[in-house]
């Protein structure tokens, strides 16, 4: 995890350890020990257990923005019934999708209940390929769409916008993508240090 918009040394090397551990102007909550989003696992009980053992920030599991807006039962089962109040904060709501309007609509429903909203750019599953979201938005011809999504979220929300990504095909490409996310308004990038892989090999 690293916070974007950090002081000058970050441009030429890793950010100081303090940036991983403390609040920053762009991410005003601690995020040194973070519980990553896991589909089917990152429910309230699991998050609270992790916090009991030292986690200071947690993600929800990945939420489909379109379904979240259009299917109340889906939203209730994966989010509204899984809120734990102050004991489960800071909390980052993670959404997947590829339409700015849908993602903004979903994010605005939850923004007063979370500390940040995350765009999933790392899911490698077959359903993500079919729906063109997650890691399948890392291909460079999708970058303008991704940057437009981040820009729309950053303009619409009162909480930071973050992105969880996988590695692109090269280091230069990965860094260029992260820089584009920053320019679009992303406050923090979490990088899962693996390539997308294929449907049966990650």
């Amino acid at each position: 995890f690293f916070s974007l918009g950090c002081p000058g040394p970050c441009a030429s090397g890793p950010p100081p350890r303090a940036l991983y551990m403390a609040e920053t102007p762009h991410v005003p909550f601690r995020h040194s020990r973070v519980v990553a989003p896991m589909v089917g696992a990152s429910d309230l009980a699991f998050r609270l257990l992790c916090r009991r053992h030292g986690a200071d920030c947690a993600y929800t599991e990945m939420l489909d923005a379109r379904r979240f807006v259009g299917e109340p039962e889906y939203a209730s089962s994966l989010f509204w019934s899984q809120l734990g109040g102050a004991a489960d904060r800071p909390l980052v709501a993670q959404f997947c999708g590829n339409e700015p309007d849908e993602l903004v609509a979903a994010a605005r429903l939850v923004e007063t209940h979370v500390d940040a909203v995350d765009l999933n750019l790392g899911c490698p599953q077959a359903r993500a390929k079919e729906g063109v979201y997650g890691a399948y938005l890392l291909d460079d011809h999708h970058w303008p769409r991704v940057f437009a999504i981040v820009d729309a979220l950053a303009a619409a929300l009162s909480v930071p916008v973050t992105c969880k990504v996988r590695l692109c095909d090269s280091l230069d490409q990965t860094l260029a993508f992260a820089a584009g996310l920053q320019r679009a308004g992303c406050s923090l990038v979490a990088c899962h240090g693996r390539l997308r892989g294929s449907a049966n090999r990650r």
Side-chain angles (χ1 to χ4, degrees):
F1 293 81
F2 60 93
S3 299
L4 298 173
C6 52
C10 298
S12 58
R17 180 170 174 79
L19 284 179
Y20 288 88
M21 302 193 65
E23 300 175 4
T24 73
H26 300 276
V27 184
F29 53 85
R30 290 183 62 83
H31 50 282
S32 61
R33 295 176 299 276
V34 181
V35 183
M38 293 177 286
V39 172
S42 297
D43 59 10
L44 175 61
F46 180 74
R47 297 194 305 262
L48 292 177
L49 178 64
C50 291
R51 291 180 192 278
R52 188 183 307 166
H53 290 278
D56 55 22
C57 179
Y59 285 73
T60 66
E61 68 172 278
M62 181 180 72
L63 305 166
D64 183 304
R66 181 177 299 173
R67 295 188 66 190
F68 195 88
V69 172
E71 301 179 24
E73 289 185 2
Y74 173 86
S76 177
S77 66
L78 294 184
F79 184 78
W80 299 116
S81 66
Q82 300 296 316
L83 291 177
D88 190 32
R89 303 289 289 270
L91 180 65
V92 181
Q94 187 189 70
F95 288 99
C96 66
N98 59 28
E99 291 294 337
D101 290 348
E102 292 176 350
L103 283 152
V104 167
R108 293 193 70 174
L109 291 174
V110 306
E111 69 173 314
T112 59
H113 301 276
V114 299
D115 300 279
V117 169
D118 185 80
L119 176 62
N120 182 304
L121 297 169
C123 180
Q125 298 178 1
R127 62 175 173 163
K129 183 176 183 179
E130 294 169 3
V132 193
Y133 62 80
Y136 296 93
L137 291 173
L138 295 178
D139 297 328
D140 56 11
H141 63 277
H142 289 306
W143 289 11
R145 177 188 290 265
V146 173
F147 300 153
I149 291 170
V150 174
D151 179 73
L153 287 168
L157 300 179
S158 60
V159 296
V161 176
T162 69
C163 295
K164 186 169 183 289
V165 307
R166 285 191 178 229
L167 297 173
C168 298
D169 290 337
S170 70
L171 176 59
D172 287 345
Q173 197 176 19
T174 304
L175 293 174
F177 185 58
L181 293 173
Q182 178 184 17
R183 288 191 296 271
C186 180
S187 294
L188 179 146
V189 168
C191 184
H192 184 163
R194 293 194 295 177
L195 297 170
R196 179 176 66 203
S198 63
N200 57 8
R201 182 175 179 83
R202 300 180 193 169

